[in-house]
PDB file of all heavy atoms in Angstrom:
ATOM      1  N   GLN S  11     -79.997  25.717 -67.614  1.00  0.00           N
ATOM      2  CA  GLN S  11     -78.997  25.095 -68.415  1.00  0.00           C
ATOM      3  C   GLN S  11     -78.084  24.161 -67.743  1.00  0.00           C
ATOM      4  O   GLN S  11     -77.775  22.969 -68.103  1.00  0.00           O
ATOM      5  CB  GLN S  11     -78.136  26.233 -69.090  1.00  0.00           C
ATOM      6  CG  GLN S  11     -77.123  25.781 -70.145  1.00  0.00           C
ATOM      7  CD  GLN S  11     -77.789  25.005 -71.284  1.00  0.00           C
ATOM      8  OE1 GLN S  11     -78.642  25.467 -71.888  1.00  0.00           O
ATOM      9  NE2 GLN S  11     -77.320  23.710 -71.421  1.00  0.00           N
ATOM     10  N   ASP S  15     -77.479  20.156 -68.245  1.00  0.00           N
ATOM     11  CA  ASP S  15     -76.139  19.644 -68.342  1.00  0.00           C
ATOM     12  C   ASP S  15     -75.666  18.790 -67.198  1.00  0.00           C
ATOM     13  O   ASP S  15     -74.547  18.298 -67.085  1.00  0.00           O
ATOM     14  CB  ASP S  15     -75.142  20.782 -68.460  1.00  0.00           C
ATOM     15  CG  ASP S  15     -75.257  21.540 -69.747  1.00  0.00           C
ATOM     16  OD1 ASP S  15     -75.816  20.947 -70.709  1.00  0.00           O
ATOM     17  OD2 ASP S  15     -74.893  22.705 -69.841  1.00  0.00           O
ATOM     18  N   GLU S  17     -75.290  19.435 -64.065  1.00  0.00           N
ATOM     19  CA  GLU S  17     -74.213  20.134 -63.368  1.00  0.00           C
ATOM     20  C   GLU S  17     -74.550  20.657 -61.939  1.00  0.00           C
ATOM     21  O   GLU S  17     -73.998  21.453 -61.374  1.00  0.00           O
ATOM     22  CB  GLU S  17     -73.579  21.316 -64.173  1.00  0.00           C
ATOM     23  CG  GLU S  17     -72.776  20.784 -65.330  1.00  0.00           C
ATOM     24  CD  GLU S  17     -71.425  20.412 -64.988  1.00  0.00           C
ATOM     25  OE1 GLU S  17     -70.951  20.609 -63.840  1.00  0.00           O
ATOM     26  OE2 GLU S  17     -70.763  19.794 -65.884  1.00  0.00           O
ATOM     27  N   LEU S  41     -88.307  23.668 -71.999  1.00  0.00           N
ATOM     28  CA  LEU S  41     -88.632  23.018 -73.189  1.00  0.00           C
ATOM     29  C   LEU S  41     -87.829  23.749 -74.406  1.00  0.00           C
ATOM     30  O   LEU S  41     -87.279  23.081 -75.292  1.00  0.00           O
ATOM     31  CB  LEU S  41     -90.156  23.127 -73.498  1.00  0.00           C
ATOM     32  CG  LEU S  41     -90.669  22.491 -74.843  1.00  0.00           C
ATOM     33  CD1 LEU S  41     -90.449  20.975 -74.756  1.00  0.00           C
ATOM     34  CD2 LEU S  41     -92.210  22.783 -74.949  1.00  0.00           C
ATOM     35  N   ARG S  45     -85.175  22.139 -77.050  1.00  0.00           N
ATOM     36  CA  ARG S  45     -85.250  22.221 -78.523  1.00  0.00           C
ATOM     37  C   ARG S  45     -84.067  22.922 -79.199  1.00  0.00           C
ATOM     38  O   ARG S  45     -83.475  22.459 -80.193  1.00  0.00           O
ATOM     39  CB  ARG S  45     -86.488  23.107 -78.826  1.00  0.00           C
ATOM     40  CG  ARG S  45     -87.830  22.300 -78.651  1.00  0.00           C
ATOM     41  CD  ARG S  45     -88.986  23.171 -79.054  1.00  0.00           C
ATOM     42  NE  ARG S  45     -90.226  22.497 -78.871  1.00  0.00           N
ATOM     43  CZ  ARG S  45     -91.383  23.089 -79.019  1.00  0.00           C
ATOM     44  NH1 ARG S  45     -91.484  24.430 -79.284  1.00  0.00           N
ATOM     45  NH2 ARG S  45     -92.508  22.442 -78.815  1.00  0.00           N
ATOM     46  N   LEU S  50     -78.987  22.756 -82.150  1.00  0.00           N
ATOM     47  CA  LEU S  50     -77.497  22.844 -82.190  1.00  0.00           C
ATOM     48  C   LEU S  50     -76.786  21.569 -82.600  1.00  0.00           C
ATOM     49  O   LEU S  50     -75.745  21.648 -83.218  1.00  0.00           O
ATOM     50  CB  LEU S  50     -76.958  23.233 -80.730  1.00  0.00           C
ATOM     51  CG  LEU S  50     -77.347  24.642 -80.385  1.00  0.00           C
ATOM     52  CD1 LEU S  50     -76.769  24.939 -78.945  1.00  0.00           C
ATOM     53  CD2 LEU S  50     -76.695  25.747 -81.300  1.00  0.00           C
ATOM     54  N   ASP S  51     -77.502  20.479 -82.311  1.00  0.00           N
ATOM     55  CA  ASP S  51     -76.844  19.166 -82.737  1.00  0.00           C
ATOM     56  C   ASP S  51     -76.871  19.022 -84.322  1.00  0.00           C
ATOM     57  O   ASP S  51     -76.291  18.067 -84.778  1.00  0.00           O
ATOM     58  CB  ASP S  51     -77.650  18.061 -82.054  1.00  0.00           C
ATOM     59  CG  ASP S  51     -77.247  18.014 -80.567  1.00  0.00           C
ATOM     60  OD1 ASP S  51     -76.251  18.514 -80.202  1.00  0.00           O
ATOM     61  OD2 ASP S  51     -78.035  17.365 -79.789  1.00  0.00           O
ATOM     62  N   GLU S  52     -77.582  19.886 -84.972  1.00  0.00           N
ATOM     63  CA  GLU S  52     -77.527  19.772 -86.445  1.00  0.00           C
ATOM     64  C   GLU S  52     -76.291  20.493 -87.069  1.00  0.00           C
ATOM     65  O   GLU S  52     -76.222  20.570 -88.230  1.00  0.00           O
ATOM     66  CB  GLU S  52     -78.859  20.487 -87.015  1.00  0.00           C
ATOM     67  CG  GLU S  52     -80.109  19.754 -86.743  1.00  0.00           C
ATOM     68  CD  GLU S  52     -81.271  20.449 -87.292  1.00  0.00           C
ATOM     69  OE1 GLU S  52     -81.248  20.946 -88.469  1.00  0.00           O
ATOM     70  OE2 GLU S  52     -82.329  20.540 -86.592  1.00  0.00           O
ATOM     71  N   ARG S  69     -45.013  18.544 -89.399  1.00  0.00           N
ATOM     72  CA  ARG S  69     -44.939  19.907 -88.820  1.00  0.00           C
ATOM     73  C   ARG S  69     -44.384  20.094 -87.506  1.00  0.00           C
ATOM     74  O   ARG S  69     -43.543  21.003 -87.361  1.00  0.00           O
ATOM     75  CB  ARG S  69     -46.394  20.476 -88.840  1.00  0.00           C
ATOM     76  CG  ARG S  69     -46.580  21.835 -88.685  1.00  0.00           C
ATOM     77  CD  ARG S  69     -48.013  22.279 -88.956  1.00  0.00           C
ATOM     78  NE  ARG S  69     -48.421  23.622 -88.443  1.00  0.00           N
ATOM     79  CZ  ARG S  69     -49.537  24.196 -88.669  1.00  0.00           C
ATOM     80  NH1 ARG S  69     -50.462  23.629 -89.459  1.00  0.00           N
ATOM     81  NH2 ARG S  69     -49.793  25.305 -88.110  1.00  0.00           N
ATOM     82  N   ARG S  73     -40.792  22.070 -87.213  1.00  0.00           N
ATOM     83  CA  ARG S  73     -40.747  23.262 -86.370  1.00  0.00           C
ATOM     84  C   ARG S  73     -39.708  23.125 -85.207  1.00  0.00           C
ATOM     85  O   ARG S  73     -39.047  24.050 -84.926  1.00  0.00           O
ATOM     86  CB  ARG S  73     -42.141  23.515 -85.861  1.00  0.00           C
ATOM     87  CG  ARG S  73     -42.238  24.739 -84.999  1.00  0.00           C
ATOM     88  CD  ARG S  73     -42.538  25.926 -85.942  1.00  0.00           C
ATOM     89  NE  ARG S  73     -43.788  25.675 -86.647  1.00  0.00           N
ATOM     90  CZ  ARG S  73     -45.071  25.840 -86.174  1.00  0.00           C
ATOM     91  NH1 ARG S  73     -45.191  26.289 -84.949  1.00  0.00           N
ATOM     92  NH2 ARG S  73     -46.045  25.654 -86.872  1.00  0.00           N
ATOM     93  N   ARG S 167     -44.094  19.064 -59.005  1.00  0.00           N
ATOM     94  CA  ARG S 167     -45.340  18.475 -59.198  1.00  0.00           C
ATOM     95  C   ARG S 167     -46.309  18.915 -58.033  1.00  0.00           C
ATOM     96  O   ARG S 167     -47.441  19.176 -58.172  1.00  0.00           O
ATOM     97  CB  ARG S 167     -45.249  17.002 -59.227  1.00  0.00           C
ATOM     98  CG  ARG S 167     -46.384  16.270 -59.833  1.00  0.00           C
ATOM     99  CD  ARG S 167     -46.164  14.858 -60.029  1.00  0.00           C
ATOM    100  NE  ARG S 167     -45.054  14.612 -60.821  1.00  0.00           N
ATOM    101  CZ  ARG S 167     -44.369  13.401 -60.789  1.00  0.00           C
ATOM    102  NH1 ARG S 167     -44.644  12.484 -59.994  1.00  0.00           N
ATOM    103  NH2 ARG S 167     -43.338  13.176 -61.659  1.00  0.00           N
ATOM    104  N   GLY S 170     -46.225  23.080 -58.489  1.00  0.00           N
ATOM    105  CA  GLY S 170     -46.396  23.753 -59.769  1.00  0.00           C
ATOM    106  C   GLY S 170     -47.809  23.666 -60.354  1.00  0.00           C
ATOM    107  O   GLY S 170     -48.682  23.073 -59.829  1.00  0.00           O
TER     108      GLY S 170
ATOM    109  N   ASP D  55     -55.771  23.956 -89.705  1.00  0.00           N
ATOM    110  CA  ASP D  55     -54.416  24.724 -89.295  1.00  0.00           C
ATOM    111  C   ASP D  55     -54.352  24.808 -87.814  1.00  0.00           C
ATOM    112  O   ASP D  55     -53.388  24.557 -87.263  1.00  0.00           O
ATOM    113  CB  ASP D  55     -54.415  26.039 -90.041  1.00  0.00           C
ATOM    114  CG  ASP D  55     -53.010  26.695 -89.986  1.00  0.00           C
ATOM    115  OD1 ASP D  55     -52.121  25.963 -90.331  1.00  0.00           O
ATOM    116  OD2 ASP D  55     -53.015  27.853 -89.541  1.00  0.00           O
ATOM    117  N   GLN D  58     -53.775  21.430 -86.162  1.00  0.00           N
ATOM    118  CA  GLN D  58     -52.379  20.936 -86.299  1.00  0.00           C
ATOM    119  C   GLN D  58     -51.435  21.752 -85.423  1.00  0.00           C
ATOM    120  O   GLN D  58     -50.524  21.234 -84.798  1.00  0.00           O
ATOM    121  CB  GLN D  58     -51.898  21.244 -87.793  1.00  0.00           C
ATOM    122  CG  GLN D  58     -52.477  20.177 -88.737  1.00  0.00           C
ATOM    123  CD  GLN D  58     -51.602  20.055 -89.970  1.00  0.00           C
ATOM    124  OE1 GLN D  58     -50.659  20.725 -90.196  1.00  0.00           O
ATOM    125  NE2 GLN D  58     -52.072  19.268 -90.965  1.00  0.00           N
ATOM    126  N   GLU D  59     -51.743  23.115 -85.302  1.00  0.00           N
ATOM    127  CA  GLU D  59     -50.867  23.884 -84.496  1.00  0.00           C
ATOM    128  C   GLU D  59     -51.015  23.405 -82.925  1.00  0.00           C
ATOM    129  O   GLU D  59     -49.999  23.507 -82.246  1.00  0.00           O
ATOM    130  CB  GLU D  59     -51.302  25.348 -84.614  1.00  0.00           C
ATOM    131  CG  GLU D  59     -50.432  26.341 -83.873  1.00  0.00           C
ATOM    132  CD  GLU D  59     -48.988  26.316 -84.341  1.00  0.00           C
ATOM    133  OE1 GLU D  59     -48.661  25.952 -85.577  1.00  0.00           O
ATOM    134  OE2 GLU D  59     -48.047  26.568 -83.553  1.00  0.00           O
ATOM    135  N   GLN D  66     -44.148  20.314 -78.595  1.00  0.00           N
ATOM    136  CA  GLN D  66     -43.070  21.171 -78.210  1.00  0.00           C
ATOM    137  C   GLN D  66     -43.072  21.284 -76.712  1.00  0.00           C
ATOM    138  O   GLN D  66     -42.003  21.506 -76.041  1.00  0.00           O
ATOM    139  CB  GLN D  66     -43.256  22.524 -78.819  1.00  0.00           C
ATOM    140  CG  GLN D  66     -42.951  22.528 -80.373  1.00  0.00           C
ATOM    141  CD  GLN D  66     -43.282  23.838 -80.937  1.00  0.00           C
ATOM    142  OE1 GLN D  66     -44.165  24.669 -80.513  1.00  0.00           O
ATOM    143  NE2 GLN D  66     -42.518  24.218 -81.986  1.00  0.00           N
ATOM    144  N   ILE D  74     -50.625  17.191 -63.114  1.00  0.00           N
ATOM    145  CA  ILE D  74     -51.542  17.567 -62.049  1.00  0.00           C
ATOM    146  C   ILE D  74     -52.897  17.641 -62.608  1.00  0.00           C
ATOM    147  O   ILE D  74     -53.885  17.152 -62.076  1.00  0.00           O
ATOM    148  CB  ILE D  74     -51.111  18.898 -61.464  1.00  0.00           C
ATOM    149  CG1 ILE D  74     -49.736  18.872 -60.834  1.00  0.00           C
ATOM    150  CG2 ILE D  74     -52.204  19.272 -60.376  1.00  0.00           C
ATOM    151  CD1 ILE D  74     -49.273  20.214 -60.499  1.00  0.00           C
ATOM    152  N   ARG D 122     -80.038  24.708 -92.790  1.00  0.00           N
ATOM    153  CA  ARG D 122     -80.144  24.651 -91.293  1.00  0.00           C
ATOM    154  C   ARG D 122     -78.685  24.509 -90.714  1.00  0.00           C
ATOM    155  O   ARG D 122     -78.453  25.214 -89.822  1.00  0.00           O
ATOM    156  CB  ARG D 122     -81.003  23.494 -90.892  1.00  0.00           C
ATOM    157  CG  ARG D 122     -82.494  23.673 -91.185  1.00  0.00           C
ATOM    158  CD  ARG D 122     -83.241  22.271 -90.901  1.00  0.00           C
ATOM    159  NE  ARG D 122     -83.337  22.023 -89.509  1.00  0.00           N
ATOM    160  CZ  ARG D 122     -84.375  22.326 -88.733  1.00  0.00           C
ATOM    161  NH1 ARG D 122     -85.384  22.920 -89.278  1.00  0.00           N
ATOM    162  NH2 ARG D 122     -84.363  21.935 -87.572  1.00  0.00           N
ATOM    163  N   HIS D 145     -71.167  21.937 -74.733  1.00  0.00           N
ATOM    164  CA  HIS D 145     -72.252  21.276 -75.487  1.00  0.00           C
ATOM    165  C   HIS D 145     -71.773  20.240 -76.451  1.00  0.00           C
ATOM    166  O   HIS D 145     -72.335  19.099 -76.416  1.00  0.00           O
ATOM    167  CB  HIS D 145     -73.045  22.343 -76.185  1.00  0.00           C
ATOM    168  CG  HIS D 145     -74.184  21.876 -76.895  1.00  0.00           C
ATOM    169  ND1 HIS D 145     -75.382  21.583 -76.412  1.00  0.00           N
ATOM    170  CD2 HIS D 145     -74.358  21.388 -78.258  1.00  0.00           C
ATOM    171  CE1 HIS D 145     -76.205  20.984 -77.222  1.00  0.00           C
ATOM    172  NE2 HIS D 145     -75.663  20.952 -78.419  1.00  0.00           N
ATOM    173  N   TYR D 146     -70.749  20.554 -77.241  1.00  0.00           N
ATOM    174  CA  TYR D 146     -70.385  19.634 -78.301  1.00  0.00           C
ATOM    175  C   TYR D 146     -69.343  18.656 -77.835  1.00  0.00           C
ATOM    176  O   TYR D 146     -69.387  17.580 -78.265  1.00  0.00           O
ATOM    177  CB  TYR D 146     -69.776  20.410 -79.461  1.00  0.00           C
ATOM    178  CG  TYR D 146     -70.944  21.206 -80.186  1.00  0.00           C
ATOM    179  CD1 TYR D 146     -70.915  22.539 -80.217  1.00  0.00           C
ATOM    180  CD2 TYR D 146     -71.827  20.561 -81.004  1.00  0.00           C
ATOM    181  CE1 TYR D 146     -72.011  23.265 -80.858  1.00  0.00           C
ATOM    182  CE2 TYR D 146     -72.793  21.129 -81.687  1.00  0.00           C
ATOM    183  CZ  TYR D 146     -72.828  22.560 -81.610  1.00  0.00           C
ATOM    184  OH  TYR D 146     -73.867  23.194 -82.301  1.00  0.00           O
ATOM    185  N   TYR D 151     -68.402  21.418 -66.548  1.00  0.00           N
ATOM    186  CA  TYR D 151     -68.151  22.886 -66.221  1.00  0.00           C
ATOM    187  C   TYR D 151     -66.752  23.046 -65.673  1.00  0.00           C
ATOM    188  O   TYR D 151     -66.015  24.082 -66.002  1.00  0.00           O
ATOM    189  CB  TYR D 151     -69.301  23.468 -65.360  1.00  0.00           C
ATOM    190  CG  TYR D 151     -70.559  23.635 -65.943  1.00  0.00           C
ATOM    191  CD1 TYR D 151     -70.877  23.172 -67.256  1.00  0.00           C
ATOM    192  CD2 TYR D 151     -71.608  24.345 -65.423  1.00  0.00           C
ATOM    193  CE1 TYR D 151     -72.010  23.311 -67.891  1.00  0.00           C
ATOM    194  CE2 TYR D 151     -72.864  24.523 -65.960  1.00  0.00           C
ATOM    195  CZ  TYR D 151     -72.999  24.032 -67.249  1.00  0.00           C
ATOM    196  OH  TYR D 151     -74.384  24.198 -67.897  1.00  0.00           O
ATOM    197  N   ARG D 162     -65.856  28.409 -62.484  1.00  0.00           N
ATOM    198  CA  ARG D 162     -67.031  27.581 -62.826  1.00  0.00           C
ATOM    199  C   ARG D 162     -68.286  28.505 -63.046  1.00  0.00           C
ATOM    200  O   ARG D 162     -69.087  28.290 -63.963  1.00  0.00           O
ATOM    201  CB  ARG D 162     -67.293  26.614 -61.826  1.00  0.00           C
ATOM    202  CG  ARG D 162     -68.355  25.573 -62.040  1.00  0.00           C
ATOM    203  CD  ARG D 162     -68.685  24.827 -60.774  1.00  0.00           C
ATOM    204  NE  ARG D 162     -69.933  24.297 -60.822  1.00  0.00           N
ATOM    205  CZ  ARG D 162     -70.287  23.148 -61.328  1.00  0.00           C
ATOM    206  NH1 ARG D 162     -69.326  22.336 -61.801  1.00  0.00           N
ATOM    207  NH2 ARG D 162     -71.583  22.761 -61.521  1.00  0.00           N
ATOM    208  N   LYS D 173     -76.669  30.640 -74.879  1.00  0.00           N
ATOM    209  CA  LYS D 173     -77.979  30.004 -75.259  1.00  0.00           C
ATOM    210  C   LYS D 173     -79.047  31.106 -75.406  1.00  0.00           C
ATOM    211  O   LYS D 173     -79.907  30.842 -76.340  1.00  0.00           O
ATOM    212  CB  LYS D 173     -78.381  28.968 -74.156  1.00  0.00           C
ATOM    213  CG  LYS D 173     -77.419  27.801 -73.922  1.00  0.00           C
ATOM    214  CD  LYS D 173     -77.606  26.796 -75.095  1.00  0.00           C
ATOM    215  CE  LYS D 173     -76.645  25.549 -75.035  1.00  0.00           C
ATOM    216  NZ  LYS D 173     -77.109  24.565 -74.255  1.00  0.00           N
ATOM    217  N   ASP D 189     -89.639  18.018 -79.829  1.00  0.00           N
ATOM    218  CA  ASP D 189     -88.876  17.069 -79.038  1.00  0.00           C
ATOM    219  C   ASP D 189     -88.991  15.615 -79.706  1.00  0.00           C
ATOM    220  O   ASP D 189     -90.064  15.362 -80.141  1.00  0.00           O
ATOM    221  CB  ASP D 189     -89.306  17.021 -77.605  1.00  0.00           C
ATOM    222  CG  ASP D 189     -88.764  18.246 -76.900  1.00  0.00           C
ATOM    223  OD1 ASP D 189     -87.784  18.773 -77.290  1.00  0.00           O
ATOM    224  OD2 ASP D 189     -89.370  18.680 -75.909  1.00  0.00           O
TER     225      ASP D 189
END
Side-chain angles (χ1 to χ4, degrees):
Chain S
Q11 184 59 52
D15 292 337
E17 290 281 350
L41 182 64
R45 285 182 181 171
L50 289 177
D51 289 341
E52 294 181 41
R69 188 164 161 177
R73 182 87 57 83
R167 201 175 296 160
Chain D
D55 194 50
Q58 284 202 4
E59 186 60 30
Q66 290 172 330
I74 299 170
R122 290 170 70 93
H145 181 82
Y146 289 108
Y151 287 9
R162 184 190 158 90
K173 293 285 176 89
D189 284 336

